[in-house]
Amino acid sequence: MESPVGRQYKGARSRLIEELREKGVRDMSVLRALDLTPRHLFVPTGIRHRAYEDTALPIGSSQTISQPSVHARYLETLALKGTERVLEIGTGSGYQTVLLAHLAAQVFSVERIKALLDNAREAIKLCEVSNVSLMLGDGTYGWKAYAPYDAILVGAASPDVPQPLLDQLAEGGRLLVPVGSKDEQQLLLITRKGRTFNRETLTPVRFVPLLGDHGWNP
Ligand code: SAH
């Protein structure tokens, strides 16, 4: 990124990309998106110096920004081509929202905590992406107005797959969602083929709870 915010921490960002490469991230478009996205804008100012470590970090309201290698794995799994309409549940810091903005045509993202959404909106604005729409609300209902989606990513853990998200998947669309208990989950990849939803279990994961009517009771 050539803007002033993009130039800040450029060295640290390059080292993170190199580390992710060493950890097995191969998808060039995902690595490029990570390189274009200034993660330091998405963490509280007091811990900016840690923004390019491959670790999850606190972002306030008891929530965390995920580890970059987790985002990379999520995004590699989806193998986006750049033409997709994508729904993200749990905007959080907004970091993954911007990664998605570089990898898809349109990104819709829903967050239930206003303070986080306000911060995310500011940080996203500094990234100068124009294909992101944000909404405050219970993302377990999806975002019906813009459905169907070619991909849906849930960044919080649910006891079950929320039915509205299945309903809002396009033909051939893919849904990534961590499902399980509050302490540990399996990352599921669900692919829609007509009325059939193929379920693949990918890997054990640990996410904060998805709180809402089709998730955990808030
Ligand atoms: N990918 C984000 C992860 C944030 S953590 C990042 O890296 O910053 C998960 C987020 O999901 C939290 O911000 C939490 O508030 C949000 N969340 C939990 N339940 C939700 C719901 N029902 N609707 C929308 N957002 C929800």
Side-chain angles (χ1 to χ4, degrees), residues 133-152:
S133 306
L134 303 174
M135 179 172 76
L136 182 68
D138 178 359
T140 67
Y141 286 99
W143 191 344
K144 213 172 167 194
Y146 298 101
Y149 301 97
D150 304 300
I152 302 179

Side-chain angles (χ1 to χ4, degrees), residues 39 42 59-61 63-67 71 88-97 110-113 116 135 137-141 155-157 207-213 215-216:
R39 191 170 185 254
F42 297 88
I59 54 171
S61 309
Q63 305 300 320
T64 52
I65 179 172
S66 309
Q67 198 179 340
H71 287 302
E88 177 187 51
I89 307 302
T91 315
S93 64
Y95 176 63
Q96 180 177 263
T97 319
V110 185
E111 169 59 52
R112 64 182 287 275
I113 300 177
L116 292 178
M135 179 172 76
D138 178 359
T140 67
Y141 286 99
F207 280 82
V208 297
L210 182 73
L211 301 176
D213 289 348
W216 294 100

Side-chain angles (χ1 to χ4, degrees), residues 2-212:
E2 288 311 310
S3 68
V5 287
R7 279 195 293 271
Q8 284 172 342
Y9 293 93
K10 203 164 178 21
R13 191 156 55 249
S14 301
R15 285 191 292 280
L16 172 64
I17 306 301
E18 200 42 51
E19 183 181 344
L20 295 176
R21 233 191 264 273
E22 279 161 19
K23 288 181 174 172
V25 181
R26 289 283 171 270
D27 187 318
M28 290 308 288
S29 58
V30 171
L31 290 167
R32 177 177 170 275
L34 287 155
D35 197 29
L36 286 173
T37 308
R39 191 170 185 254
H40 63 275
L41 298 180
F42 297 88
V43 302
T45 45
I47 52 171
R48 276 199 173 166
H49 60 286
R50 299 192 55 200
Y52 295 97
E53 293 174 13
D54 187 25
T55 50
L57 293 168
I59 54 171
S61 309
S62 310
Q63 305 300 320
T64 52
I65 179 172
S66 309
Q67 198 179 340
S69 50
V70 169
H71 287 302
R73 178 149 29 100
Y74 247 62
L75 296 169
E76 277 198 319
T77 304
L78 288 177
L80 296 167
K81 295 189 183 75
T83 54
E84 297 86 353
R85 184 200 296 259
V86 176
L87 174 66
E88 177 187 51
I89 307 302
T91 315
S93 64
Y95 176 63
Q96 180 177 263
T97 319
V98 173
L99 294 177
L100 287 166
H102 290 301
L103 290 162
Q106 273 185 295
V107 184
F108 299 87
S109 185
V110 185
E111 169 59 52
R112 64 182 287 275
I113 300 177
K114 184 172 186 301
L116 292 178
L117 194 68
D118 290 346
N119 286 342
R121 199 184 296 282
E122 287 305 309
I124 292 168
K125 203 188 286 173
L126 292 172
C127 295
E128 297 175 350
V129 290
S130 54
N131 54 346
V132 170
S133 306
L134 303 174
M135 179 172 76
L136 182 68
D138 178 359
T140 67
Y141 286 99
W143 191 344
K144 213 172 167 194
Y146 298 101
Y149 301 97
D150 304 300
I152 302 179
L153 295 85
V154 185
S158 186
D160 284 303
V161 182
Q163 183 63 40
L165 301 185
L166 295 173
D167 296 340
Q168 290 173 31
L169 266 186
E171 173 60 25
R174 286 156 300 155
L175 164 63
L176 265 180
V177 56
V179 171
S181 68
K182 280 192 179 162
D183 294 327
E184 51 180 354
Q185 308 95 32
Q186 296 288 339
L187 184 61
L188 300 188
L189 174 64
I190 296 171
T191 309
R192 179 173 203 161
K193 291 271 178 297
R195 288 202 191 154
T196 311
F197 293 88
N198 289 323
R199 240 177 214 248
E200 212 181 311
T201 301
L202 298 183
T203 172
V205 285
R206 225 176 155 230
F207 280 82
V208 297
L210 182 73
L211 301 176

